Amino acid sequence: MQIAGIIIEYNPMHSGHMHLLKETRARLGANGAIICVMSGNFVQRGDFAVLGKLPRAEAAVRSGADLVLELPLPWAVSSAERFADGGVQALMATGLVTHLAFGSECGDAAALQRVASALVSEVFSHHLKRELPLGNSFAAARQRAAAALLPPEDVSLLSAPNNILGVEYCKSLLLHHSAMQPLTVPRRGAAHDDETAREEHPSASALRARLRNGERDAAMVLMTPAMAEIYRREEDAGRAPVFGNICERAVLARLRSMTEAEFSMLDEGREGLCNRLYAASRKAASLEELLAAAKTKRYAYARLRRMTLWAYLGLMPADFPKNLPYLRVLAANRTGCGLLAKMRKCAVLPVLTKPADVRRLDTAARRLFAQEARATDLYTLAYPNLAAAAGGTEWKEGPVIL
């Protein structure tokens, strides 16, 4: 049986996501299955997910996935490299996944593997260390370093966001000596961050922009049918849409209460970015103003947003675990339940099907789950209806079984 893994956010789910699911299933054949690893309530760009993780996981299963596992918080809100590695770790740990499926602008798995092989070499590391002090962004420095090892057509792949993520997936497969085979489907429709709401395969950014601008009906017609139905349900319950600006004053209050030493703990690269954020936090009266003040040519907004989110959630990069301690189930259909039965025999990590399961695990696992619980309690404070934001939901809610 061929089983594909897909690393997702579905923030929210649209026709482009459905296209990848359908194409993947077609390539696997009639007996294939799909396991997704999905970010929880916070996403890689350093933001709140527009819908909670259980509704998004339910939409995934109702739209073609069989089983959805959670990508834990420290990986979900990290760089593309760490995000990809967490997803690959989870898929490998199931003991079942034969293929890693993802969308890319190029649609060429072999080319992405060539780039990945170059980027994990010691020679590339040497070139990158030489480029980084020159003041360019990390992305620009990476391309210049790659140009010393690869032909121009391969280097150009590092200019497109889904290609870049695909390279990170391939890097992780190489570093973990995984037998999973990359399977990439050409991306169609809007580009990754294109906020133009195209009729065919819009970007999730476009849907969020419409929701943020009050164009709710226009956004919903671009969602998958299951996602639109679930969105209406969550909206009626006062739990959608979720936008981080609702908690803006709380985030700013947290930043202003932090010391310089605490800001320094957010800076993974020890590059002085923490100093810019600290100075900006003393003056800024909005998150937009804070990010604009801290931004430079070298640092991407996403990195600044992640650092700000880490501060709000009380996350410190030095404490991020290297390896996943468990697999947590968010949603499954009948086929997915069959996969779970197999995982109980072949998975290399404990599988949590209810919150109480974590109490039987080691200290690192319990600490991570407690971290997830605290973050969810902060996430719910961004619900449109505060009456729906009762705390402690992580300890009460189990997976969605369809």
Side-chain angles (χ1 to χ4, degrees), residues 73-89:
L73 185 66
W75 288 269
V77 296
S78 289
S79 66
E81 182 177 39
R82 185 173 170 80
F83 172 89
D85 190 63
V88 168
Q89 282 191 48

Side-chain angles (χ1 to χ4, degrees), residues 52-281:
K53 57 189 174 185
L54 288 177
R56 288 172 20 248
E58 179 183 348
V61 171
R62 288 176 57 183
S63 300
D66 295 305
L67 173 65
V68 181
L69 307 173
E70 182 173 13
L71 179 62
L73 185 66
W75 288 269
V77 296
S78 289
S79 66
E81 182 177 39
R82 185 173 170 80
F83 172 89
D85 190 63
V88 168
Q89 282 191 48
L91 293 172
M92 288 176 57
T94 66
L96 296 174
V97 177
T98 57
H99 294 76
L100 173 57
F102 54 90
S104 65
E105 289 84 0
C106 70
D108 186 344
L112 297 173
Q113 287 177 297
R114 286 197 302 272
V115 177
S117 295
L119 267 55
V120 298
S121 69
E122 289 186 16
V123 177
F124 171 79
S125 179
H126 171 76
H127 285 291
L128 183 62
K129 287 177 181 177
R130 190 171 60 186
E131 292 291 341
L132 282 172
L134 301 181
N136 294 315
S137 67
F138 176 81
R142 177 176 54 196
Q143 280 191 272
R144 291 172 65 91
L149 305 176
L150 293 165
E153 59 271 22
D154 283 353
V155 175
S156 68
L157 298 178
L158 293 170
S159 300
N162 288 100
N163 286 345
I164 291 171
L165 195 52
V167 168
E168 294 299 342
Y169 293 146
C170 292
K171 281 173 54 182
S172 185
L173 293 175
L174 287 169
L175 292 171
H176 288 289
H177 306 289
S178 173
M180 280 192 288
Q181 295 298 307
L183 186 165
T184 189
V185 173
R187 184 185 176 95
R188 295 180 180 175
H192 177 72
D193 284 323
D194 184 353
E195 294 194 357
T196 304
R198 304 172 190 268
E199 294 301 318
E200 183 184 16
H201 305 331
S203 72
S205 297
L207 272 67
R208 293 194 301 271
R210 286 206 165 186
L211 291 171
R212 190 176 287 109
N213 294 335
E215 302 172 57
R216 177 249 195 197
D217 292 343
M220 289 183 63
V221 299
L222 299 171
M223 298 178 190
T224 64
M227 184 81 266
E229 181 184 332
I230 290 168
Y231 180 88
R232 288 189 195 94
R233 184 189 74 197
E234 294 300 297
E235 186 181 55
D236 290 344
R239 298 188 293 260
V242 176
F243 292 115
N245 65 301
I246 298 296
C247 295
E248 183 171 45
R249 291 191 180 192
V251 176
L252 291 171
R254 166 64 178 153
L255 294 173
R256 286 196 183 184
S257 69
M258 290 172 61
T259 65
E260 285 187 84
E262 289 173 320
F263 270 91
S264 70
M265 295 172 69
L266 298 172
D267 195 347
E268 292 178 288
R270 297 289 182 264
E271 299 167 288
L273 183 54
C274 57
N275 298 328
R276 297 186 63 85
L277 268 180
Y278 174 78
S281 72

Side-chain angles (χ1 to χ4, degrees), residues 345-379:
K345 299 177 182 178
C346 63
V348 298
L349 291 175
V351 180
L352 306 186
T353 55
K354 57 182 184 294
D357 290 344
V358 76
R359 293 192 169 97
R360 301 197 301 267
L361 303 184
D362 63 21
T363 301
R366 296 197 302 272
R367 185 185 301 118
L368 177 60
F369 194 92
Q371 191 178 70
E372 295 277 4
R374 289 193 301 272
T376 293
D377 285 347
L378 291 174
Y379 174 83

